[in-house]
Amino acid sequence: MKKLFLSLILSVTPLVALAAGAEIELDHIDTDISDKASLQRGAQTYMNYCMACHSLEYARYNRVAADLDIPEEIFEENLIFTGAAIGSLMGNSMSYDDGAAWFGAAPPDLTLVARVRGEDWLYTYLRGFYQDDSRPLGVNNSVFANVGMPHVLMELQGLCAEAPHAVSERRFDPLTGNLITDGGCENYAVEGSLTKAEYDETIYDLVNFLDYMGEPYAGDRERIGWMVFAFLAVFLVIGQLLYRELWKDIH
Ligand code: HEC
């Protein structure tokens, strides 16, 4: 009995630990991988700002070009910076050891990151960098403490002076009732080229692209699913008619 009790406790412990980890509040977005324009903008941001460190090794350029409705020549000219052929896997030239030596942790491949971390986490993470002079690169992150990644989008967002608030933390002035903050970053140590709303939009597109990356078949699957339902609906009628025809003399 004691043993049973102990194993029960042990089996539940990881859940408790997980629940504790999930306490950080994430900002929520609804991604839409059928929005091709958004995916194209996301791919552009990714290729320009992320690809040098993070490969997308389980995908091929030509598949992405086809899915995103980007003609192959245009994709090749504007979005492939490694000189790779359009049919190749989306790797980069950073080796694991170099990455680990330069940043303390090697930048992981991001093909499946949206499935591992979830869209909300990515959205919050990419908007969560803030100034922290105690860190080697001068930045920290609100959802990924002591992160090894530099704030590569600083020229766009600017640098937040303190950890950004969750969007749900809207605060109102108790006297006037005016909105003091709608969450996110409130004070910037360095100004960026985009407004807060524009930056949020850029990150939405980027996360949308990563969401597509994690499951490129999601759109096809949904379409095929509806076709199967349509087939079953038609077949139900045919089946019913056949059933009546075959049984009509038997009763
Ligand atoms: C200069 C190299 C570099 C660039 C450019 C870069 N990153 Fe990173 N990134 C890193 C490193 C290093 C880590 C690992 C951090 C750690 O484990 O502490 C990381 C971690 C991450 C993670 C967390 C992965 C996980 O699940 O642990 C995500 C997500 C991410 N990067 C997204 C991006 C995106 C999106 C871009 C483009 C806007 C980008 N990164 C650009 C170096 C980079």
Side-chain angles (χ1 to χ4, degrees):
M1 188 63 199
K2 235 185 197 172
K3 258 191 197 159
L4 190 72
F5 187 64
L6 194 69
S7 59
L8 200 72
I9 296 222
L10 284 180
S11 65
V12 171
T13 321
L15 289 182
V16 176
L18 254 183
E23 261 172 29
I24 300 159
E25 186 168 347
L26 300 177
D27 294 338
H28 175 68
I29 50 168
D30 288 316
T31 49
D32 174 10
I33 64 165
S34 67
D35 183 349
K36 296 276 162 90
S38 161
L39 294 183
Q40 290 173 356
R41 290 191 299 267
Q44 191 183 14
T45 309
Y46 192 91
M47 294 304 167
N48 280 292
Y49 289 99
C50 318
M51 193 66 183
C53 290
H54 296 285
S55 56
L56 294 170
E57 250 169 19
Y58 304 100
R60 285 183 193 278
Y61 289 109
N62 53 0
R63 165 80 206 237
V64 175
D67 285 347
L68 270 53
D69 291 343
I70 306 175
E72 287 195 356
E73 316 79 65
I74 294 186
F75 197 100
E76 220 165 0
E77 265 169 41
N78 298 291
L79 294 176
I80 303 184
F81 303 118
T82 54
I86 186 88
S88 50
L89 292 168
M90 301 170 75
N92 61 15
S93 46
M94 185 181 291
S95 76
Y96 183 89
D97 292 341
D98 281 349
W102 293 333
F103 304 109
D109 183 275
L110 294 186
T111 324
L112 297 172
V113 74
R115 294 174 71 170
V116 178
R117 295 286 198 178
E119 298 92 46
D120 290 355
W121 188 90
L122 289 174
Y123 183 65
T124 315
Y125 169 69
L126 292 167
R127 290 154 54 261
F129 285 92
Y130 65 94
Q131 187 176 37
D132 181 353
D133 293 331
S134 68
R135 297 292 307 151
L137 298 171
V139 291
N140 212 328
N141 191 282
S142 55
V143 289
F144 193 145
N146 301 334
V147 71
M149 174 170 145
H151 184 15
V152 295
L153 297 172
M154 192 158 97
E155 62 175 26
L156 304 181
Q157 184 190 23
L159 181 60
C160 200
E162 75 232 336
H165 300 276
V167 166
S168 64
E169 271 180 47
R170 286 174 177 235
R171 275 181 280 138
F172 295 89
D173 187 324
L175 290 179
T176 61
N178 290 341
L179 187 68
I180 300 179
T181 167
D182 56 357
C185 184
E186 286 167 30
N187 300 308
Y188 290 89
V190 179
E191 289 289 330
S193 61
L194 300 183
T195 64
K196 198 157 121 184
E198 285 168 346
Y199 183 71
D200 284 357
E201 196 65 25
T202 305
I203 298 304
Y204 172 86
D205 293 336
L206 183 57
V207 175
N208 209 10
F209 172 70
L210 286 172
D211 191 26
Y212 149 78
M213 231 344 132
E215 203 182 352
Y217 287 103
D220 292 350
R221 203 188 49 209
E222 206 166 291
R223 209 172 32 253
I224 293 169
W226 283 116
M227 274 153 61
V228 170
F229 275 127
F231 170 77
L232 288 178
V234 172
F235 189 74
L236 185 74
V237 176
I238 298 175
Q240 192 56 238
L241 291 176
L242 256 177
Y243 172 78
R244 277 199 215 156
E245 176 63 24
L246 295 178
W247 283 83
K248 74 171 181 242
D249 302 327
I250 292 177
H251 297 296

